[in-house]
Amino acid sequence: MADKMRQDRPERGISLRAFTPNAVTALALCVGLSGVRFAFLENWVLAAGAVVLAGILDGLDGRIARLLNAQSRFGAELDSLSDVIAFGVTPALIMFFWSLQYMPHFGWVLSLTMAVGCALRLARFNAQIDDDDQPHKSAGFLTGIPAPVGAGLAMLPLYLWMVTGQEIFRYYIVVAPWIVLIAFLMISNTATYSWSSLRLRKNIRLEALAGFALLGVLLISSPWITLSAISIFYIILIPFSVRSYIKVKRQRAMAQADARNSAI
């Protein structure tokens, strides 16, 4: 009888398995938002570093949740809220304090495009999360650039400024259109590569592992040069991802046409 009562008793609290990925998400939020404090203190290295570290943590929380089989609706909502703050609000404020505050009249407004773009992207993602008709996702692509990537790309002028010391990268005539472009790419329907759309050939797996290890060393030894190179490389990849998606879409259309003809 006592055993039956214990079985019928509802569980209290939250399991450690479910708590862990949510804790990582909350940590990413706090780390990302700390970038605002560092920007206010004009410590641009730590400000940019906080956003980058938040991006790394954001990439870990989902994988930890899947590894522990601890996915939940609560975790998904917390992740979206964290992303808006860490990758929308924080980069917008960093770039405003660093450059756009010196722009007459429109500096603050253009800074807000980053935060608004990130919020709209995540709202669209949440609204479509249960939709079956998602052509980009079903083909292994993303719609627009993801929030952490957008935050990293938005700070490319800051990386280049820290690498070269050239004030031209800090001028608002350079920073303002760049921020608007990144915000547009976040909410656009542009097909971009996701991890699931990338495939490594079996004969280069060891080389890829060595390259990934080398990239980690470069991020530690020369972070701003490495981040600048990664950002530029990602931008160059966008036309190729669009072309790859068009190719996949064409192949699907041909397969569907063949299936209809076979049925007839």
Side-chain angles (χ1 to χ4, degrees):
M1 184 67 176
D3 292 340
K4 186 176 184 305
M5 291 178 63
R6 280 195 295 268
Q7 291 175 359
D8 294 339
R9 185 183 304 164
E11 294 185 6
R12 295 181 179 178
I14 183 173
S15 67
L16 184 61
R17 183 183 66 181
F19 174 81
T20 302
N22 293 332
V24 175
T25 302
L27 179 61
L29 186 157
C30 294
V31 170
L33 192 56
S34 296
V36 177
R37 176 177 180 271
F38 295 130
F40 184 75
L41 297 175
E42 297 187 356
N43 190 331
W44 310 117
V45 171
L46 290 182
V51 177
V52 173
L53 180 55
I56 294 173
L57 292 172
D58 182 75
L60 291 176
D61 60 2
R63 286 163 178 78
I64 292 173
R66 288 188 289 272
L67 180 65
L68 298 177
N69 194 24
Q71 302 99 317
S72 65
R73 187 71 183 184
F74 174 84
E77 295 295 337
L78 178 62
D79 185 69
S80 293
L81 291 172
S82 173
D83 285 359
V84 170
I85 295 173
F87 309 124
V89 175
T90 296
L93 291 174
I94 290 174
M95 299 307 285
F96 175 76
F97 288 133
W98 178 66
S99 170
L100 294 179
Q101 65 170 316
Y102 304 108
M103 183 178 186
H105 308 299
F106 300 107
W108 176 243
V109 175
L110 294 179
S111 297
L112 289 178
T113 59
M114 185 65 195
V116 173
C118 185
L120 291 176
R121 171 183 171 77
L122 293 166
R124 179 179 63 185
F125 175 82
N126 290 341
Q128 296 178 345
I129 196 168
D130 296 323
D131 287 356
D132 295 327
D133 184 18
Q134 297 189 56
H136 290 163
K137 183 178 179 180
S138 62
F141 292 82
L142 299 173
T143 304
I145 58 177
V149 174
L153 291 176
M155 295 190 298
L156 177 59
L158 177 57
Y159 305 153
L160 294 172
W161 175 75
M162 287 192 285
V163 170
T164 66
Q166 297 295 320
E167 287 298 314
I168 188 173
F169 294 113
R170 195 171 185 174
Y171 291 162
Y172 56 79
I173 58 174
V174 173
V175 176
W178 179 253
I179 291 289
V180 173
L181 173 63
I182 298 303
F184 171 77
L185 287 174
M186 291 177 72
I187 62 175
S188 71
N189 289 321
T190 305
T192 57
Y193 287 122
S194 68
W195 288 109
S196 60
S197 65
L198 300 176
R199 294 288 186 272
L200 292 176
R201 297 178 182 176
K202 291 183 179 180
N203 60 336
I204 64 167
R205 287 182 179 177
L206 293 179
E207 291 84 350
L209 286 173
F212 187 78
L214 179 61
L215 180 62
V217 173
L218 288 172
L219 280 171
I220 295 173
S221 60
S222 302
W224 311 120
I225 295 176
T226 306
L227 287 170
S228 298
I230 292 173
S231 300
I232 294 170
F233 180 69
Y234 186 92
I235 291 294
I236 293 173
L237 275 181
I238 291 179
F240 294 95
S241 65
V242 173
R243 189 180 67 174
S244 297
Y245 175 69
I246 292 174
K247 182 179 178 181
V248 172
K249 188 177 179 181
R250 187 183 301 118
Q251 290 173 347
R252 287 186 167 188
M254 292 174 62
Q256 291 174 357
D258 291 342
R260 285 194 297 267
N261 293 333
S262 299
I264 295 173

